[in-house]
Amino acid sequence: MHSKDLYRVLLSFDLEEFDLPNEYGAALPMSRQLAVTAQGMKILEPALSGLSLSATFFTTAFYAQQHPAQLQQLAGKHEIASHTFHHSSFTEDDIGHSRQILSAISGQAITGFRMPRLAPVSKALIAAAGYRYDASLNPTWLPGRYNQLSSSRTIYREGDLWIVPSSVTPRLRIPLFWLAFKNLPLWFIKKCSLDVLEKDGYLSLYFHPWEFAPLGDFKDTPFYIRRLCGQPMLKKLVAYLDWLKAIAVFETMDSFTRRREAATPANPPTGNRA
C-alpha cells in the first residue's frame, strides 16, 4: 500500500443550473434552477472550508455571471474550470467564450474543461481554446447515457490535451461519481475507492452543488436521483471526505495535470485501457 503522500484525490463539482428536472418533463424556470444550485452551494461551501480541502469547480459561465461574488469567493480556495456557457444548450463557440468569462470573473487562468452531461465534443476544439485538460470522460456504461467501456480508465494525453477520466474500479468499472455515491452504501464506496487508489494512485470524483439542496419537491425526477439530498447527502459526503483525508492528499486537477506534464516525456503514450 502506498504512503499517504503518494495518493491523490481530485475532488470536483459541476456548478451549473439545476436543469435536470426538465429532462423528465418538468418546466423549471431559470430563476428556480439558479436558486436550487445557489442553495446547495450555501450548504456545501462551509463544509468544504471546515475540511480545508481544495477542489475543482467546473462552472457554467451563465451561472458565474449570475453569482460573480460567490465565484470569486470560491476562487480564493479552489480551482475554477469551464462547464461551457449554459448547461442545457451548447455551441462550439461556448468552449472559448466560457473560458474568457470565467477568467474575467474569477481572476484565474482557466485550464480545465468538462462538457455538460459528459457529452462528446471535439478534443481539437478544446485544445485550440487554450485548455490543458478535459475531464469529460466517464469510462463506464450507463444505460441511455453513454458506453465508454473501451476508453482508458486512467489519465492520458491526446496531443497537447490531458484527458482526466472520472474514476471507475479496475475490474468491473463501477463508477464512483455522484449517482453511485447516492445509491451505494458508504462502506462499499470506500472499498471501491481503495481499489482505485491502490491501482492508480489517484481518485477522480465529481458531484453537483444542487445535490445538497432539498430535492423532495421535484417529484418528476427519478427517486434514485433525489433519494439522498440536502443535509443527509452532506453528512455522507463529509464522512467520506474525512476518511479520504486520512489516507490521501487532495489536489486540484490543474495542479495534478501540471505535475504530470512536468514528469512526462516529450512523446508520451496516448491511453491506458487497463
Side-chain angles (χ1 to χ4, degrees), residues 153-174:
R153 253 192 351 94
T154 56
I155 184 172
Y156 65 97
R157 200 168 184 173
E158 191 168 307
D160 293 330
L161 193 68
W162 288 95
I163 312 300
V164 188
S166 299
S167 286
V168 298
T169 58
R171 288 172 290 279
L172 298 178
R173 292 203 175 209
I174 299 169

Side-chain angles (χ1 to χ4, degrees), residues 9-63:
V9 175
L10 314 179
L11 175 65
S12 65
F13 296 90
D14 291 356
L15 185 52
E16 64 198 29
E17 309 87 77
F18 179 56
D19 59 353
L20 188 62
N22 293 355
E23 291 189 37
Y24 299 95
L28 205 63
M30 183 58 70
S31 59
R32 186 81 191 280
Q33 294 179 33
L34 292 166
V36 171
T37 295
Q39 183 181 11
M41 274 303 308
K42 288 180 180 178
I43 295 169
L44 173 64
E45 199 282 328
L48 293 180
S49 295
L51 289 166
S52 299
L53 301 179
S54 293
T56 300
F57 281 82
F58 290 92
T59 310
T60 64
F62 180 75
Y63 184 88

Side-chain angles (χ1 to χ4, degrees), residues 166-187:
S166 299
S167 286
V168 298
T169 58
R171 288 172 290 279
L172 298 178
R173 292 203 175 209
I174 299 169
L176 297 180
F177 71 138
W178 66 278
L179 197 56
F181 187 85
K182 272 178 169 285
N183 291 281
L184 297 174
L186 186 55
W187 69 264

Side-chain angles (χ1 to χ4, degrees), residues 85-270:
F85 198 95
H86 293 284
H87 198 256
S88 294
S89 62
F90 172 72
T91 68
E92 290 183 351
D93 288 343
D94 292 342
I95 297 174
H97 190 203
S98 64
R99 182 171 183 259
Q100 295 168 359
I101 291 173
L102 290 169
S103 181
I105 294 174
S106 69
Q108 291 187 8
I110 308 301
T111 64
F113 179 87
R114 177 178 283 155
M115 188 68 181
R117 297 178 178 85
L118 306 189
V121 66
S122 167
K123 301 295 187 292
L125 288 175
I126 299 171
Y131 295 96
R132 177 187 304 108
Y133 71 87
D134 173 36
S136 305
L137 175 62
N138 197 347
T140 188
W141 176 69
L142 286 179
R145 185 64 73 179
Y146 35 72
N147 184 354
Q148 303 288 354
L149 290 175
S150 63
S151 299
S152 175
R153 253 192 351 94
T154 56
I155 184 172
Y156 65 97
R157 200 168 184 173
E158 191 168 307
D160 293 330
L161 193 68
W162 288 95
I163 312 300
V164 188
S166 299
S167 286
V168 298
T169 58
R171 288 172 290 279
L172 298 178
R173 292 203 175 209
I174 299 169
L176 297 180
F177 71 138
W178 66 278
L179 197 56
F181 187 85
K182 272 178 169 285
N183 291 281
L184 297 174
L186 186 55
W187 69 264
F188 185 70
I189 292 291
K190 289 180 178 180
K191 180 185 183 304
C192 292
S193 299
L194 278 177
D195 289 345
V196 173
L197 286 171
E198 291 177 1
K199 176 69 173 179
D200 304 334
Y202 76 94
L203 191 59
S204 180
L205 309 166
Y206 80 94
F207 299 88
H208 307 86
W210 52 255
E211 297 172 55
F212 304 96
L215 302 178
D217 291 342
F218 301 102
K219 303 300 184 184
D220 292 334
T221 305
F223 179 69
Y224 59 81
I225 290 176
R226 56 186 167 84
R227 64 174 296 274
L228 188 68
C229 60
Q231 288 295 335
M233 177 66 175
L234 183 70
K235 182 178 179 180
K236 185 176 181 180
L237 182 68
V238 168
Y240 176 56
L241 297 181
D242 202 39
W243 172 77
L244 282 173
K245 275 186 66 177
I247 60 174
V249 174
F250 283 73
E251 185 173 17
T252 66
M253 290 196 182
D254 176 74
S255 171
F256 185 73
T257 53
R258 283 182 186 277
R259 289 195 304 103
R260 281 294 179 115
E261 191 163 299
T264 300
N267 297 303
T270 56

